[in-house]
Amino acid sequence: MCGYIGFFHKGDFSEPNLQSLKTFPFLKRRGPNQEGSLKEKRSFLYHCRLFTLGDSKRGRQPIVEGERKLLYNGDIYNYEIFDGLNFSNDTEALFHHLNQKGLDGVKDFNGAYSFVYDDGKHIHLTRDRIGIRSLFFTILNIDRDPVVVVSTNFLILAELRNTYSQTLTLNDDYIRQYKIFRYGLRGSAFTEIFSVSPGKVVQISWESILKGNIQIKEKVYWSLDQLSDYSEHKNYANSLEELSFLVKDSIHLRAKTLNQPFGTFLSGGLDSGLITALASQEEGFLKSYYLSMPGETNEDNRLGRFLNHYPVAIEKISYSHPSNKERVIESLELPFGDSIIYPIDQLCRTASRDVNVVLSGEGADEVFGGYIHHRVFFYAQLFHSIFPALSRSVIIKLLDNLPLSFWNTFFPYNQSVDQSGIKRFLRFLNKFETPHHAYAELVSLSESSLNEEDLDLLNSYWPNNDLSNLHALMSFDLKFWSPQYTLYKMDRIGFSHGLDIRVPFFDHRLIEWSLRHKKKFLNFRQNKIPLRQAAKKFGLLHGNLYDEKKFPFRVSEKSAECVDISLLEGKRNTSQLHLELWFDCLKKLGIRYDNTKGQ
């Protein structure tokens, strides 16, 4: 795991002293074990490395061979099989494979990565399939000559634009999306800083740099839209056996470390329990890290059930409210509207004292339909398939008068749903024939319905394949929620502590399996049905651990007796507070920007 920054230009550009930048420590935290740099006539490359995979004495970056250069951040888990050669680390394997096969070789990688590969003719900016690692770039215009700057980190590019007196403009669309969804669906918080999309390669030709007229092409090498066309797999029993193998193999691949110990994050539920049960059998496993939360979110009993079957070494951490929220917000670099970041930060801080690598259960909900909004879409889909349009409005009025006890029969969490959640659910039912609008009614932080402009924007992102509403939702989550929310927070917070968090359930092979089995995820009683069935049938989890009910992992200042099926009022307040703290962070760092909306 690493951090890097690279400058590409005509040859008469003076690079900055990186150590003098206030945002440089954010970059350096990603790679505390080793540094390397390269200065040539038309480029300057800097790399810092965290030792996690392969031989630490080799693989120093930047790698250079003739005109070819590589800056790489991440893990290629299957690097040992490339080209029939015996590579000592994934960095060398990646560079050799790209030299042999060009960018077509990216399709062979199983991993979490972003890299910049200069082949002498083009600069290729590449991000992994699902967006586990981020990659940003901007273009400076110095005396009318372009300078392409790429980095793993966002704020260092913002500070550099200030340093070279370049325009920096707050991205109003991104901020508006944040205020609705708690994260920006695409792009970044500044219009002049771009994010490479998951599964894509951004290609910039050297000829266009030298001519002073930048030409950018974007190529897709893996797309959820294309995968959504998969037909249903016919032999489901064989498919479960395949799923069992893929789960075991994805964990095995991610348990490879640099002859170092590794750990897992554990709650005792299905996802983290499955990861820990299998990872604890791998060489190098040290222990699991469990965060004991107060009040209704406490999972100690569930943890006890897991430990009865798997008595792994465990470090139990009592959650404490953060004394320095600003530091956590600062480490994220982009606004993030959820207080979940504080327990994650405490977990990472504790684990990083022992290990450089942990395995985590993120991804199972996205890939196998485990979220509450997946269940809500499932019920709505049944409702619309059973009742004709003319009768729905009458039935919805009747539903509004049913007691809470009825609704809680279907609520999958250990808490209860309240009346305001029911009201939002009924509004959602009314809009279900336009699923993007229904989704907005369900998850938006706004107290009222979205305006037409925001709905049109959401519709432009909504999958247009021939999918059921539920599976369109799951594709949307994988395409936007996963890279911009779930994975982004884990990457940023983990590496702010020098910790590589690996996520086996986001293995692209599991996602592809999921999209071949679109009708099997939920029923009235359970979610993530294929994962539970595979765990039971093939003994991946002992006892009845495969049947554990989902537990909401949330943070509040005091215990709450019930949780809204929509977002809690506290989510709205937290989101606003975090946005304010992010603006304070920019001010503290001295980052100046144009603000057309007066944010």
Side-chain angles (χ1 to χ4, degrees):
M1 277 303 110
C2 314
Y4 59 73
I5 187 167
F7 299 80
F8 303 89
H9 49 85
K10 290 176 67 173
D12 51 1
F13 171 71
S14 297
E15 297 86 0
N17 176 6
L18 293 178
Q19 284 75 12
S20 69
L21 298 175
K22 292 182 179 179
T23 54
F24 179 71
F26 303 162
L27 178 67
K28 186 67 176 67
R29 288 173 198 152
R30 295 186 66 89
N33 300 135
Q34 189 181 73
E35 290 182 280
S37 62
L38 172 73
K39 180 175 175 58
E40 295 188 336
K41 181 180 179 181
R42 293 174 179 167
S43 62
F44 172 69
L45 311 178
Y46 169 83
H47 186 275
C48 54
R49 184 181 177 195
L50 174 70
F51 295 150
T52 61
L53 197 63
D55 185 353
S56 64
K57 296 179 181 179
R58 305 180 67 175
R60 179 186 288 270
Q61 296 185 55
I63 290 186
V64 181
E65 185 180 284
E67 291 186 322
R68 298 186 178 101
K69 306 174 187 68
L70 176 69
L71 286 172
Y72 160 55
N73 161 47
D75 299 304
I76 306 293
Y77 304 116
N78 62 336
Y79 74 91
E80 293 171 320
I81 67 172
F82 291 165
D83 308 318
L85 300 175
N86 184 23
F87 294 104
S88 64
N89 60 76
D90 59 332
T91 306
E92 291 180 325
L94 168 63
F95 190 56
H96 183 273
H97 201 60
L98 292 173
N99 291 343
Q100 293 296 309
K101 300 186 67 173
L103 267 294
D104 287 340
V106 177
K107 298 176 183 178
D108 299 328
F109 302 155
N110 185 332
Y113 52 84
S114 75
F115 63 81
V116 181
Y117 177 63
D118 178 2
D119 65 9
K121 294 183 179 180
H122 297 90
I123 302 163
H124 308 272
L125 317 183
T126 306
R127 193 174 175 193
D128 64 69
R129 292 171 177 84
I130 200 64
I132 302 171
R133 306 298 174 216
S134 300
L135 179 54
F136 303 99
F137 70 99
T138 191
I139 299 171
L140 310 178
N141 287 290
I142 309 298
D143 297 328
R144 299 185 179 180
D145 288 334
V147 179
V148 178
V149 191
V150 300
S151 183
T152 51
N153 289 60
F154 173 73
L155 286 179
I156 198 168
L157 299 183
E159 185 176 4
L160 283 168
R161 292 196 68 85
N162 281 179
T163 300
Y164 290 95
S165 302
Q166 304 286 295
T167 302
L168 187 66
T169 312
L170 194 67
N171 186 338
D172 296 327
D173 288 340
Y174 186 94
I175 299 299
R176 191 168 74 248
Q177 293 166 25
Y178 170 87
K179 290 180 177 180
I180 297 169
F181 300 113
R182 297 181 289 159
Y183 68 100
L185 298 177
R186 272 292 182 260
S188 83
F190 295 122
T191 57
E192 296 84 4
I193 300 176
F194 309 98
S195 174
V196 178
S197 297
K200 294 185 178 180
V201 179
V202 170
Q203 186 183 80
I204 304 172
S205 74
W206 266 111
E207 182 180 6
S208 71
I209 294 175
L210 297 178
K211 288 183 176 180
N213 182 24
I214 294 288
Q215 294 179 5
I216 298 176
K217 295 181 180 180
E218 189 177 68
K219 297 183 177 181
V220 178
Y221 71 90
W222 192 85
S223 170
L224 282 163
D225 295 333
Q226 296 168 357
L227 296 174
S228 296
D229 294 332
Y230 278 179
S231 60
E232 287 285 327
H233 200 284
K234 300 301 182 184
N235 191 325
Y236 187 60
N238 289 346
S239 292
L240 280 183
E241 185 174 5
E242 179 192 8
L243 175 59
S244 174
F245 167 78
L246 290 176
V247 169
K248 290 186 289 186
D249 193 56
S250 66
I251 293 170
H252 171 69
L253 287 174
R254 286 157 183 81
K256 295 179 180 178
T257 60
L258 183 64
N259 300 317
Q260 297 178 24
F262 72 92
T264 66
F265 289 156
L266 175 63
S267 69
L270 173 66
D271 310 338
S272 66
L274 192 51
I275 297 289
T276 299
L278 295 175
S280 62
Q281 302 171 30
E282 298 284 344
E283 183 180 356
F285 174 77
L286 178 66
K287 61 181 171 180
S288 295
Y289 299 87
Y290 167 76
L291 191 64
S292 181
M293 300 295 291
E296 293 291 326
T297 56
N298 186 278
E299 301 176 85
D300 289 0
N301 290 336
R302 187 164 69 163
L303 175 69
R305 291 193 293 272
F306 178 87
L307 293 177
N308 285 337
H309 293 280
Y310 297 94
V312 299
I314 190 162
E315 181 162 347
K316 188 174 179 180
I317 309 153
S318 295
Y319 176 69
S320 58
H321 291 294
S323 58
N324 188 355
K325 291 183 178 181
E326 291 79 5
R327 185 197 61 78
V328 184
I329 296 296
E330 188 178 76
S331 69
L332 287 159
E333 300 196 41
L334 284 165
F336 193 90
D338 196 335
S339 55
I340 192 68
I341 59 180
Y342 303 120
I344 292 173
D345 182 73
Q346 189 172 352
L347 269 173
C348 292
R349 183 170 64 251
T350 302
S352 66
R353 297 167 186 162
D354 305 316
V355 296
N356 285 346
V357 174
V358 294
L359 275 59
S360 183
E362 271 75 21
D365 287 324
E366 287 86 348
V367 175
F368 296 105
Y371 284 125
I372 179 62
H373 56 277
H374 296 152
R375 179 169 290 274
V376 172
F377 262 66
F378 171 76
Y379 290 143
Q381 205 159 271
L382 284 177
F383 176 79
H384 276 250
S385 66
I386 294 171
F387 298 105
L390 290 176
S391 64
R392 288 178 200 147
S393 60
V394 176
I395 295 171
I396 288 173
K397 289 181 180 179
L398 293 173
L399 290 172
D400 194 18
N401 294 314
L402 291 174
L404 286 178
S405 58
F406 168 82
W407 294 102
N408 282 311
T409 303
F410 304 99
F411 195 58
Y413 290 148
N414 290 343
Q415 284 81 15
S416 302
V417 63
D418 68 8
Q419 197 63 50
S420 62
I422 302 306
K423 296 291 186 184
R424 180 166 281 217
F425 173 68
L426 296 178
R427 292 201 307 269
F428 157 81
L429 273 183
N430 270 320
K431 300 295 184 182
F432 195 67
E433 289 185 346
T434 51
H436 72 282
H437 195 165
Y439 175 77
E441 290 288 351
L442 192 64
V443 306
S444 168
L445 290 178
S446 175
E447 295 185 43
S448 57
S449 296
L450 300 189
N451 60 39
E452 289 302 318
E453 182 182 2
D454 291 330
L455 286 172
D456 287 344
L457 176 67
L458 182 58
N459 189 38
S460 70
Y461 288 138
W462 199 260
N464 293 318
N465 307 70
D466 185 21
L467 298 173
S468 69
N469 288 355
L470 171 61
H471 299 105
L473 168 64
M474 291 177 65
S475 292
F476 178 86
D477 281 348
L478 285 167
K479 199 171 184 179
F480 299 101
W481 170 273
S482 296
Q484 299 291 95
Y485 177 90
T486 302
L487 292 166
Y488 185 81
K489 71 178 185 295
M490 302 304 285
D491 176 83
R492 296 293 133 172
I493 296 174
F495 284 107
S496 73
H497 296 285
L499 188 68
D500 177 6
I501 303 175
R502 299 180 180 177
V503 281
F505 287 122
F506 276 116
D507 189 307
H508 69 277
R509 299 170 300 168
L510 288 172
I511 295 171
E512 291 167 1
W513 188 99
S514 168
L515 290 170
R516 293 198 303 270
H517 302 84
K518 301 171 186 174
K519 298 179 181 178
K520 308 288 195 307
F521 295 111
L522 297 100
N523 59 26
F524 281 103
R525 193 181 76 84
Q526 282 187 327
N527 56 15
K528 295 184 278 196
I529 291 173
L531 193 60
R532 296 180 190 277
Q533 290 176 334
K536 179 181 180 181
K537 183 174 182 179
F538 297 99
L540 305 184
L541 276 174
H542 299 161
N544 293 323
L545 295 176
Y546 58 82
D547 206 26
E548 286 285 356
K549 196 172 184 179
K550 184 171 177 59
F551 222 107
F553 195 61
R554 58 185 176 84
V555 184
S556 59
E557 294 300 321
K558 58 183 179 180
S559 177
E561 292 183 355
C562 46
V563 57
D564 195 338
I565 205 169
S566 68
L567 295 172
L568 294 168
E569 178 66 24
K571 294 286 188 184
R572 187 181 298 115
N573 295 338
T574 296
S575 183
Q576 180 59 36
L577 171 63
H578 286 187
L579 185 60
E580 293 170 1
L581 290 174
W582 182 73
F583 283 123
D584 290 343
C585 168
L586 298 182
K587 184 176 181 180
K588 174 184 173 183
L589 294 168
I591 294 176
R592 306 175 305 278
Y593 54 91
D594 295 330
N595 184 2
T596 59
K597 296 291 186 179
Q599 300 284 349

